[in-house]
Amino acid sequence: MHRIPDPPAEVAPIAASLRSRAPELGIRMARRIRAEVTYYGSEGGVAFDELSASCQRNADLVFRHLAGDRGSDMTPALDTGRERARRGDPLADLLHAYRVGSEFLWTELAAEARVAEGITTDTFVALAAWWVCEGLAAAASDAYREETSELVLQRERERSAMVEALFTGMLTDRTTLWGAADMLGLPTGGPYLVVAAEVPAPGREALPGIEARLLAEQLRSAWRLLPDLQIGVVAVQQPGAEEAALRVLGRSPDSRVGVSPPYRALQDTPRALRLARVALAGVRGRPAGLARFDDSPAALLVASAPDEAARIARAVFEDVLELPATERDRLLETLECWFTAAGSTAGAAERLYCHRNTVRYRLHRLEELTGRSLRDPRAVADLAVALHALPLLSLEQR
């Protein structure tokens, strides 16, 4: 911490006299600060009794040190800095108050020194070089910054634990959920989205600065960094908020991101996280991409039993997955477009930019490989579930 140099010995008697007047000087210093520093100008900022008590302690410390007490320390200034940080008082106003107090004490000291015997010009020069109160300001400033840093870390630890509790389902009571929403800066009612983004390496964020970028769009969110994922819950209450959130998330071209469907109750966050993870599985294997969870019945079945769904996908598409990658992906893309087009060959051809006969050929090839006819509703249901579950298979399984 900051160390004040030794003052000229000749001023010790003057300082001792001024120290005896510390209570009176502290009150006058407090009045000066209150008159010149806006933040301290009323009881709403800092109570006058508290301000004058702090000024008295600092005046006593300054004159005790000038009087030759080498055992004096910065405790009053350190305590002031920590207390102001805990209260959230602005650091600039704290330092302004110390500058005003420093000027006041220097004026009192100089007035006494001018009429004292044995005080020469050299003494005044040495005294002027001594940092009358800046040592206190530096100590208070250092303590303020250290306390602020600790408070920020403490709040982040508490916030991170609350996000973890939200995602793991530990918060179920309505009052507790409301308290969590308040701490996390989230509204108490939805809709919300859960986002799961694959991290590039343990300890590195997949979406750096995402909370600030969402906030710039008036979207509040809370995030947690896991070894493999960065997960977050985003409030999307206002009209167009969901689309705005997806636009922001889509501006991370190097990330793989899964997004849950909207949901309304915070206690459903663990389920939404599972759905976001399923959506994320759909872009694994690609360099990057954003996928939203399809909340169709088939997708919900896959999400409710992902291990079983993966086995179904492997069983249904076993022969398809044995094909060379180019042919395999082409057939699966055709089937997906056929489903998207509600079973229309022409619609699938339009999406694939190819002739409808090409689509018919590929679909027929899929029927042969899977042993399931697209004219059989039960077989179509099997294929729909398997297609939704296919992202759950690892590249090696494929």
Side-chain angles (χ1 to χ4, degrees):
M1 198 61 70
H2 198 84
R3 181 185 181 277
I4 302 177
D6 293 335
E10 302 94 302
V11 301
I14 302 169
S17 174
L18 288 168
R19 184 187 175 194
S20 67
R21 296 168 48 200
E24 169 224 333
L25 293 173
I27 293 173
R28 288 172 56 201
M29 190 198 310
R31 288 173 180 160
R32 177 75 63 83
I33 291 171
R34 193 146 207 187
E36 297 187 23
V37 184
T38 303
Y39 183 80
Y40 291 87
S42 68
E43 293 291 308
V46 177
F48 184 78
D49 288 346
E50 181 184 347
L51 178 61
S52 61
S54 176
C55 289
Q56 289 174 40
R57 289 193 298 272
N58 287 325
D60 181 81
L61 174 61
V62 169
F63 294 131
R64 188 166 76 237
H65 189 84
L66 283 167
D69 183 352
R70 301 298 183 262
S72 59
D73 59 26
M74 296 290 108
T75 299
L78 297 175
D79 291 344
T80 298
R82 294 189 186 103
E83 177 60 26
R84 297 295 181 264
R86 285 192 288 270
R87 291 169 48 138
D89 295 353
L91 177 59
D93 290 315
L94 174 64
L95 296 180
H96 187 188
Y98 268 101
R99 285 193 293 271
V100 171
S102 174
E103 180 184 356
F104 173 83
L105 291 179
W106 173 257
T107 300
E108 294 294 320
L109 180 62
E112 294 290 326
R114 285 192 188 96
V115 298
E117 295 183 0
I119 303 297
T120 65
T121 301
D122 289 341
T123 303
F124 257 106
V125 170
L127 186 58
W130 187 80
W131 210 348
V132 177
C133 201
E134 192 64 20
L136 296 179
S141 176
D142 289 345
Y144 182 102
R145 290 190 175 93
E146 288 176 3
E147 186 70 17
T148 299
S149 297
E150 179 55 36
L151 288 171
V152 168
L153 289 173
Q154 179 182 335
R155 281 193 290 268
E156 282 303 307
R157 288 192 293 266
E158 292 173 352
R159 199 167 188 264
S160 181
M162 193 63 73
V163 175
E164 177 75 8
L166 185 62
F167 277 116
T168 55
M170 293 178 64
L171 304 178
T172 55
D173 178 76
R174 180 181 294 271
T175 303
T176 306
L177 284 163
W178 284 354
D182 182 63
M183 173 178 282
L184 299 175
L186 296 172
T188 54
Y192 312 94
L193 298 174
V194 166
V195 179
E198 193 175 78
V199 300
R204 288 182 56 194
E205 292 187 340
L207 305 168
I210 186 61
E211 188 166 355
R213 287 191 282 136
L214 287 168
L215 193 58
E217 299 288 337
Q218 309 301 313
L219 298 169
R220 288 178 285 172
S221 61
W223 296 82
R224 180 88 165 92
L225 185 61
L226 305 177
D228 59 336
L229 295 176
Q230 183 178 5
I231 55 177
V233 55
V234 184
V236 288
Q237 288 183 308
Q238 303 304 318
E242 185 178 347
E243 292 74 17
L246 293 172
R247 282 197 305 272
V248 173
L249 293 167
R251 294 182 196 134
S252 300
D254 300 325
S255 302
R256 288 186 285 268
V257 182
V259 183
S260 76
Y263 63 103
R264 294 199 165 272
L266 271 178
Q267 58 261 40
D268 292 333
T269 299
R271 175 180 176 274
L273 176 58
R274 289 196 298 273
L275 301 183
R277 284 177 178 269
V278 172
L280 175 61
V283 291
R284 288 203 170 111
R286 305 183 201 169
L290 184 147
R292 299 179 65 184
F293 182 82
D294 180 357
D295 54 1
S296 67
L300 292 171
L301 284 172
V302 168
S304 64
D307 292 339
E308 290 300 323
R311 279 192 281 272
I312 290 171
R314 180 66 184 169
V316 170
F317 290 121
E318 183 175 9
D319 290 341
V320 177
L321 297 175
E322 297 297 328
L323 296 172
T326 302
E327 184 179 0
R328 174 197 68 201
D329 293 344
R330 185 165 56 238
L331 292 179
L332 291 172
E333 182 186 18
T334 301
L335 181 61
E336 187 169 350
C337 288
W338 184 79
F339 274 114
T340 303
S344 167
T345 302
E350 184 178 346
R351 285 173 169 78
L352 292 166
Y353 301 101
C354 67
H355 196 276
R356 67 185 67 182
N357 287 339
T358 302
V359 173
R360 289 192 184 99
Y361 168 77
R362 293 177 185 173
L363 293 176
H364 181 66
R365 178 87 169 116
L366 276 165
E367 287 178 319
E368 290 179 338
L369 290 166
T370 61
R372 288 167 172 82
S373 171
L374 293 176
R375 292 180 295 277
D376 180 351
R378 289 174 298 182
V380 171
D382 289 346
L383 289 166
V385 171
L387 192 62
H388 276 292
L390 197 58
L392 299 177
L393 294 177
S394 67
L395 293 178
E396 292 75 12
Q397 289 175 303
R398 295 187 193 184

